[in-house]
Amino acid sequence: MHTSRQVNQSADLQYSTVLWEAAFDANKNDDDTEEADLSDEEMREAHGPSLEHSIMVARGGKLCIRVRDDSWILPGTVFVSHFDSVSSQGGKGPIEESGLVGVGDFLVRVNGCDVVGKGARHALALIKDEASADSVSLTFRRLQTSSISREGNRIRSEAGIHLTEQHRVLMFRYLLDSKPIDKRRLASLAGDGIPDVDKHLRPLAWRILLLYLPDEVSLWDAHLKQERAIYYQLVQELTIMTGPAASCPPSASGHVINESEDQNFRGSWRAGDASPRLDTPLCALSSAPSQEGDARNTAGSMKATDPNLTFCQGHPGSAPPLPRSGRGSGELDVSLGSSQDRLPTRPRFDADRSLFNEIRKDVVRTHPDQNFYQDQTFGTARYDALLRILFIYAKTNSGTRYIQGMNELAGTLFYVMSRDSDQEWAEHAEADTMFLFAQLMSQLRDVFIEKMDESDTGIESKFEQLEVLLERHDPTLSKHFRMIGLEAHFYSLRWITTLFCREFTLPDTIAVWDALFADKDFSDFILYFCLSMLMEQRQEMLRCSFAKCLQSLQAYSPEAEMKRLLHRMRSLRAQDSASGFRVDRRVGEAATPSTSRVRNYFSRVSSRMRDDVPIALGSFSTESKSHLKRAGAQLKASFGSMRKLIGDSMSVLPSPGATGGAPSTT
Amino acid sequence: MANRGKQGAQSKYDHLIKLLLIGDSGVGKSCLLLRYSEDSFTPSFITTIGIDFKIKSLPLEDKKLKLQIWDTAGQERFRTITTAYYRGAMGILLVYDVTDERSFANVKNWMRQIEQHASESVNKILIGNKCDVDPADRRVSLEQGRKLAEEYRIKFFETSAKENVNVDEAFYTVARDIALRIDNEVDLTASGKNVKIGPGVGPAGGKECC
């Protein structure tokens, strides 16, 4: 039957608490009415009866099951909180043994009597009602899986269910406390946003969703300890902290380094002083070994041989503090070497300085509108931490190194990690951010790496794919864009590489990231979200010229409602997945993708990039105009090996799951 | 023309002029553009990822120019992406930072990029930004900048986006030169409606008869 196939197929998909809730609510009195409320046929299919299990247990035996009724769904709803073992040896009870029931499943009927919403006591009384029969029939229902699980809002509103923030907090706490953590369910919940009320939920959930934390909760401590130690050691080996060594300044906002770290390291946290001073003249850097990475050769003092290095620029003995409010400070203060030097970290090796300076230049212009980074007391220290994060990442991922835009990503992660209400976690925000960032980059690096530009997963392909999607879902808008010559590369590069954090406010960005990290397919999510953003503005776009369109896409409307954008993204995706359409398979075969070849404006000048690497996009190959840079890349088929090459040269650090795959559900 | 660059009259212009800002990362390209297009300076400026785009209307004599200004990311990684924009550019503003010698040394690389990717007739201008700095922080002298510009036979300005020094002048100069060049080209091909007799273009903002 179709239904069962559907269910089997979706077994790996995310749980749909939402759907379940809807069913539950509708189901209060009569089981059969639930389907009527869910008008969509798909929904009915997804909510097949097969995920309800009845179990007969003979009276007199032990059930070995605990149920609770402080459920988040409906008051008095009963769910399995845990199993007891039959014996001291830990044997399973009959219900657990059946394999059909798991922690978190709902008890919906006892001996045919509906117990939903009636509370655990009521259920227990029925179970213990010896007068009834020789055996007890228990019916459990498991949270449903469904490809349309993201229809959350609509289903909820149809079913008249409104989850309060508090409900959601409870759900998260329950999930995060359970062992093992049900990642699929967590992903499903997180996809609709992680409550902000409890500031520990998101940092923890992101660590789990991005696969930084191992599945096995009991391994967390050891894992974290090891990872963090690696990070701190790398920081020590590769950088030098200047500034007065001082007593540890733990802050409410959690910017403390592990106490086991040495004075040098901890000293850096004093950087937030109103007037940070550098104890050592910057020119007196330790001499750099010619080979980077030679940690031992640090003796001697360096002469300022390279005048280009901002380190060596003379600057006043006591530099003024980093500008806070921006009145008449800005450009110089943050972009000149002299003021950048106020970030107390510097590279240990001469050879790293240009990389270091490159990163620093961007770090001090990351989220400049956020108090978090402009804070009088901690702003500088936070930028300094961000600098170390990116620097360590670049050093340990030489294939990716540092590319502009990464600062935005790491800056956002660090913001979230630092705001953890649990002090113990917040203390390691910096180290954990580095690993989370590495995890994130394992999904994203192809769009960052220039060598991958024209591969199937590179940025150019993303442009193509977005245009194919636009053509598919909004031919009118696509046609208009073609007519005015507005191609995806004009507006979507930043959207894609910085994961929208430059287009939206921080809370909105975080909402997108909640959903993204919970998603199985980053690439799809990103593309469809871009599409949703385009379609959101379509009315205005259709009326506008090239310049107007581009301007409004580059400064995306603050009025766009995040919920609507996410909702549209999901329904567009669901639409395509229902019809079996995959954009990454389509682009290659589209002889003339919807990308416009109108060259009214800045024409793509495709030849300059493409002639040397004629990938399977027929329309791009033009006569060759040789570029030294790409001369070696003649072979069409070289992308695979190139990718491997890049991959091989990356990641010195052990980062679990860094080799890609789904971030949230495996 | 009475209405000077007002938004409402945007569709009416005599020339559409496409400008491109290039130069090393952090030299102040975006700040220059912000200063020029919105006459403001913000300390909360951010890294340009890929390209940014602004338009500005500019009255020139009795004409109205519409400038499309493209601001590019300075990082090497974006080079292949941004060079795609060179060809359509009519004018290129090559910016370095007077406090950053490397950005000055890189000017020659940027010039090479222009040679490779831009059209031959493109108007170029060299800009040394952040000229308001303390002389102690300066690494490239006015003279060095001027000399280099002479070598390339292009115009040169030292600017400060922060203090609003020479910003309008730099943009204006390049826009005007382009407008004149275009007018000239129109004359030569005699395809325009304003067929002129004689050179029609004086040096530095000469008058035109229409």
Side-chain angles (χ1 to χ4, degrees):
Chain A
M1 193 187 149
H2 193 48
T3 302
S4 61
R5 186 184 57 82
Q6 178 83 16
V7 169
N8 287 339
Q9 267 186 347
S10 57
D12 287 328
L13 298 175
Q14 292 151 350
Y15 281 104
S16 165
T17 46
V18 169
L19 195 65
W20 215 81
E21 292 151 29
F24 234 90
D25 194 48
N27 195 22
K28 247 190 232 173
N29 301 310
D30 183 355
D31 252 9
D32 296 328
T33 59
E34 67 186 69
E35 311 291 7
D37 278 354
L38 306 173
S39 54
D40 191 318
E41 195 190 330
E42 264 188 318
M43 243 181 271
R44 233 173 295 133
E45 273 183 12
H47 186 71
S50 63
L51 288 182
E52 226 178 67
H53 296 290
S54 294
I55 293 173
M56 302 290 285
V57 187
R59 276 201 191 284
K62 285 185 174 178
L63 292 177
C64 300
I65 187 172
R66 293 287 173 95
V67 291
R68 278 166 57 183
D69 65 355
D70 53 345
S71 158
W72 54 73
I73 302 292
L74 286 171
T77 299
V78 190
F79 76 104
V80 179
S81 64
H82 62 279
F83 295 102
D84 290 334
S85 56
V86 182
S87 63
S88 53
Q89 279 80 41
K92 288 177 177 175
I95 294 181
E96 192 182 12
E97 184 70 39
S98 74
L100 298 172
V101 178
V103 169
D105 285 355
F106 288 76
L107 179 61
V108 291
R109 281 190 298 280
V110 176
N111 287 334
C113 296
D114 195 351
V115 297
V116 174
K118 291 175 183 159
R121 257 174 220 283
H122 176 77
L124 212 63
L126 284 175
I127 292 170
K128 292 194 169 174
D129 181 8
E130 305 221 352
S132 59
D134 292 344
S135 59
V136 184
S137 163
L138 302 174
T139 306
F140 296 90
R141 192 179 291 156
R142 174 156 296 185
L143 296 191
Q144 186 60 276
T145 62
S146 160
S147 59
I148 53 161
S149 66
R150 296 297 179 197
E151 294 280 294
N153 291 335
R154 184 163 67 88
I155 300 170
R156 252 205 293 276
S157 63
E158 277 178 10
I161 292 179
H162 301 283
L163 287 185
T164 64
E165 188 79 342
Q166 197 50 39
H167 273 126
R168 292 175 48 73
V169 170
L170 283 174
M171 290 161 90
F172 270 99
R173 282 187 188 149
Y174 170 72
L175 278 175
L176 292 171
D177 279 347
S178 51
K179 291 169 191 163
I181 289 176
D182 184 337
K183 275 205 244 177
R184 284 182 294 181
R185 207 184 294 180
L186 178 65
S188 169
L189 271 178
D192 291 331
I194 300 171
D196 208 40
V197 187
D198 180 342
K199 296 261 185 287
H200 179 53
L201 296 179
R202 178 172 288 114
L204 186 55
W206 281 13
R207 282 179 175 96
I208 295 166
L209 294 172
L210 287 172
L211 306 183
Y212 171 46
L213 288 172
D215 290 354
E216 187 55 60
V217 179
S218 62
L219 300 177
W220 283 8
D221 280 351
H223 174 75
L224 288 169
K225 206 172 161 193
Q226 182 192 332
E227 297 285 82
R228 289 164 179 169
I230 290 171
Y231 176 79
Y232 296 135
Q233 193 185 339
L234 281 166
V235 168
Q236 272 188 306
E237 282 177 7
L238 296 170
T239 71
I240 299 172
M241 313 284 184
T242 53
S247 58
C248 194
S251 71
S253 50
H255 281 93
V256 195
I257 289 294
N258 191 338
E259 292 195 352
S260 67
E261 295 307 312
D262 74 3
Q263 285 296 307
N264 249 351
F265 202 97
R266 290 165 61 191
S268 72
W269 301 103
R270 285 296 299 268
D273 283 358
S275 175
R277 289 179 312 279
L278 301 168
D279 283 349
T280 340
L282 287 169
C283 295
L285 281 174
S286 56
S287 124
S290 50
Q291 301 284 321
E292 65 180 58
D294 184 355
R296 274 146 295 275
N297 184 11
T298 56
S301 73
M302 193 204 75
K303 283 273 189 284
T305 47
D306 185 350
N308 294 321
L309 293 170
T310 50
F311 275 116
C312 299
Q313 291 175 356
H315 52 87
S318 68
L322 198 71
R324 306 296 169 193
S325 62
R327 303 266 168 277
S329 47
E331 182 186 40
L332 291 171
D333 288 314
V334 288
S335 58
L336 279 187
S338 56
S339 61
Q340 282 176 14
D341 289 346
R342 277 177 224 135
L343 297 187
T345 304
R346 34 187 186 101
R348 189 173 290 276
F349 305 113
D350 211 12
D352 290 337
R353 280 203 269 158
S354 109
L355 169 67
F356 200 82
N357 287 343
E358 190 179 351
I359 297 171
R360 185 165 45 186
K361 224 177 242 181
D362 291 341
V363 161
V364 293
R365 35 183 186 164
T366 305
H367 292 304
D369 51 340
Q370 288 303 317
N371 285 336
F372 180 75
Y373 287 112
Q374 301 306 319
D375 184 88
Q376 281 282 354
T377 315
F378 298 109
T380 310
R382 286 164 181 163
Y383 272 152
D384 205 40
L386 185 55
L387 174 60
R388 285 189 293 270
I389 290 165
L390 289 163
F391 178 64
I392 298 299
Y393 176 81
K395 287 297 291 173
T396 50
N397 292 270
S398 52
T400 321
R401 214 169 158 267
Y402 169 75
I403 294 154
Q404 290 182 328
M406 290 182 179
N407 57 323
E408 312 277 350
L409 298 175
T412 307
L413 285 174
F414 185 55
Y415 169 81
V416 169
M417 293 303 131
S418 300
R419 286 169 78 244
D420 199 322
S421 52
D422 186 324
Q423 193 62 30
E424 276 181 42
W425 290 87
E427 279 177 10
H428 298 285
E430 179 183 333
D432 287 358
T433 298
M434 205 290 291
F435 291 105
L436 285 174
F437 175 67
Q439 291 295 91
L440 189 56
M441 285 311 295
S442 73
Q443 295 281 329
L444 276 181
R445 65 180 162 226
D446 286 3
V447 298
F448 274 97
I449 300 173
E450 190 172 4
K451 280 181 185 148
M452 301 300 291
D453 274 355
E454 294 162 62
S455 74
D456 289 347
T457 47
I459 191 73
E460 301 269 343
S461 300
K462 301 293 165 204
F463 299 151
E464 299 295 333
Q465 289 168 7
L466 179 55
E467 286 174 348
V468 167
L469 283 181
L470 183 63
E471 170 74 38
R472 177 177 166 84
H473 289 279
D474 195 341
T476 315
L477 187 58
S478 173
K479 190 179 164 200
H480 177 66
F481 278 6
R482 272 203 303 278
M483 215 166 64
I484 60 175
L486 185 59
E487 296 173 4
H489 61 98
F490 285 115
Y491 52 82
S492 66
L493 180 110
R494 195 176 67 202
W495 293 5
I496 293 168
T497 57
T498 63
L499 296 178
F500 314 103
C501 75
R502 282 275 287 271
E503 325 308 319
F504 299 105
T505 61
L506 204 53
D508 273 353
T509 299
I510 288 169
V512 184
W513 287 22
D514 280 347
L516 174 69
F517 296 168
D519 207 280
K520 292 188 302 292
D521 190 336
F522 267 41
S523 171
D524 245 29
F525 181 107
I526 294 166
L527 285 171
Y528 281 91
F529 194 80
C530 289
L531 178 63
S532 177
M533 284 171 71
L534 291 174
M535 290 171 75
E536 174 79 14
Q537 306 264 21
R538 77 184 298 274
Q539 291 308 331
E540 192 194 335
M541 298 285 153
L542 286 173
R543 286 195 300 269
C544 290
S545 64
F546 173 87
K548 278 266 168 136
C549 281
L550 184 52
Q551 278 189 312
S552 56
L553 289 176
Q554 288 198 337
Y556 202 75
S557 166
E559 276 151 38
E561 204 193 311
M562 185 48 65
K563 275 188 179 163
R564 198 167 58 223
L565 287 168
L566 284 168
H567 179 79
R568 188 187 297 106
M569 180 272 294
R570 283 168 186 148
S571 46
L572 290 166
R573 260 177 101 178
Q575 223 173 301
D576 279 353
S577 85
S579 60
F581 176 86
R582 289 281 312 176
V583 68
D584 47 4
R585 297 205 196 102
R586 275 303 298 278
V587 169
E589 67 200 46
T592 310
S594 64
T595 49
S596 148
R597 300 292 154 237
V598 180
R599 292 164 192 269
N600 293 346
Y601 290 88
F602 282 84
S603 73
R604 200 150 183 165
V605 199
S606 323
S607 54
R608 54 78 209 168
M609 288 199 282
R610 299 208 138 100
D611 47 8
D612 299 323
V613 190
I615 54 172
L617 289 166
S619 57
F620 283 126
S621 49
T622 57
E623 57 177 345
S624 190
K625 178 176 138 193
S626 74
H627 287 262
L628 285 174
K629 195 168 179 188
R630 299 208 165 244
Q634 280 288 358
L635 294 173
K636 276 186 209 196
S638 66
F639 287 115
S641 56
M642 201 186 299
R643 186 173 192 183
K644 189 170 175 300
L645 217 84
I646 292 164
D648 288 345
S649 67
M650 275 189 283
S651 200
V652 174
L653 294 174
S655 37
T659 43
S664 56
T665 57
T666 45
Chain B
M1 212 174 270
N3 96 37
R4 295 162 61 88
K6 278 270 173 353
Q7 289 264 317
Q10 222 164 38
S11 56
K12 290 209 155 210
Y13 53 85
D14 299 285
H15 292 303
L16 175 64
I17 294 190
K18 297 166 198 168
L19 301 178
L20 186 70
L21 278 157
I22 59 172
D24 277 10
S25 175
V27 296
K29 297 181 290 294
S30 304
C31 288
L32 280 170
L33 180 52
L34 189 68
R35 167 63 74 190
Y36 181 63
S37 64
E38 284 160 38
D39 194 22
S40 68
F41 182 85
T42 169
S44 60
F45 71 112
I46 41 186
T47 320
T48 305
I49 312 284
I51 50 141
D52 265 332
F53 172 78
K54 290 247 180 334
I55 34 184
K56 162 115 178 161
S57 294
L58 175 71
L60 177 77
E61 306 294 326
D62 54 346
K63 295 202 169 181
K64 197 170 154 196
L65 309 182
K66 183 176 167 187
L67 308 188
Q68 256 187 16
I69 310 167
W70 297 82
D71 182 17
T72 61
Q75 201 185 25
E76 175 78 29
R77 184 263 176 269
F78 296 102
R79 202 78 30 108
T80 46
I81 289 170
T82 52
T83 48
Y85 299 84
Y86 282 45
R87 183 169 298 175
M90 298 160 164
I92 294 180
L93 298 95
L94 202 175
V95 188
Y96 68 89
D97 172 357
V98 299
T99 69
D100 178 358
E101 207 165 358
R102 183 170 291 176
S103 75
F104 183 66
N106 273 338
V107 165
K108 64 172 184 300
N109 297 329
W110 287 109
M111 286 300 288
R112 211 171 298 137
Q113 293 283 321
I114 296 174
E115 277 166 33
Q116 278 178 18
H117 301 287
S119 75
E120 262 180 54
S121 58
V122 68
N123 291 57
K124 289 157 283 195
I125 186 167
L126 184 66
I127 293 176
N129 193 32
K130 306 185 189 178
C131 70
D132 58 300
V133 289
D134 188 302
D137 287 332
R138 194 187 254 275
R139 292 289 169 275
V140 184
S141 71
L142 177 66
E143 207 38 55
Q144 282 173 289
R146 195 177 281 152
K147 218 176 131 207
L148 186 64
E150 273 169 19
E151 264 174 50
Y152 289 118
R153 298 181 175 183
I154 58 179
K155 289 187 179 160
F156 170 68
F157 283 95
E158 271 200 354
T159 61
S160 162
K162 186 183 173 194
E163 305 287 339
N164 197 10
V165 178
N166 272 344
V167 178
D168 283 356
E169 288 79 353
F171 278 95
Y172 179 83
T173 301
V174 72
R176 182 202 57 205
D177 288 354
I178 293 165
L180 297 182
R181 168 164 65 83
I182 294 170
D183 279 340
N184 224 11
E185 283 164 6
V186 168
D187 292 342
L188 291 173
T189 55
S191 62
K193 45 198 182 301
N194 309 325
V195 178
K196 288 178 272 181
I197 298 164
V201 183
K207 281 202 165 165
E208 309 165 39
C209 41
C210 303

